[in-house]
Amino acid sequence: MPLYEYRCEQCSKQFEATQSVHARAEDTECPFCHAQQATRILSSFASKIAGDHKPGFAEIKAKAMNNERMERFAKLPPLNAKRNVPPPNTSSDSSPVTGTGSSSGS
Ligand SMILES: [Zn+2]
């Protein structure tokens, strides 16, 4: 179950509550004053990180290197290209037999 952050409108305190996604903010009771006037704080933690995040130089360079690598990979021939090459002929039938001996006769 997701963890939600709430702020109580009654006592203006913040608290966390693990609820189902179908739970409504108006049904959430404040643990401090037990008022049902809580408003859900939508992931202020995550949005703060995403908002301040800027890609650094290293990150840009890494991305460029990755693109270069992908380009190089695309230029490679497909793996099944080797299957079109016929196997070398190793049959011994076609090779002529040499060296039958020198015939010496009188
Ligand atoms: Zn409260």
Side-chain angles (χ1 to χ4, degrees), residues 82-89:
K82 272 187 177 178
R83 294 187 183 180
N84 294 332
V85 178
N89 195 4

Side-chain angles (χ1 to χ4, degrees), residues 17-98:
T18 307
Q19 295 176 321
S20 81
V21 288
H22 303 295
R24 293 184 301 170
E26 50 264 36
D27 293 336
T28 304
E29 189 182 278
C30 172
F32 302 103
C33 68
H34 300 285
Q36 291 186 337
Q37 295 182 32
T39 51
R40 189 178 288 178
I41 305 170
L42 284 174
S43 63
S44 58
F45 175 69
S47 64
K48 190 183 280 183
I49 290 177
D52 291 345
H53 185 74
K54 288 170 190 165
F57 174 73
E59 205 168 326
I60 290 172
K61 195 176 182 185
K63 204 173 181 182
M65 279 177 72
N66 195 37
N67 283 344
E68 193 183 338
R69 189 181 291 180
M70 288 303 287
E71 230 169 86
R72 224 178 273 176
F73 183 75
K75 282 174 187 169
L76 287 173
L79 286 174
N80 58 359
K82 272 187 177 178
R83 294 187 183 180
N84 294 332
V85 178
N89 195 4
T90 50
S91 61
S92 56
D93 296 335
S94 58
S95 59
V97 183
T98 52

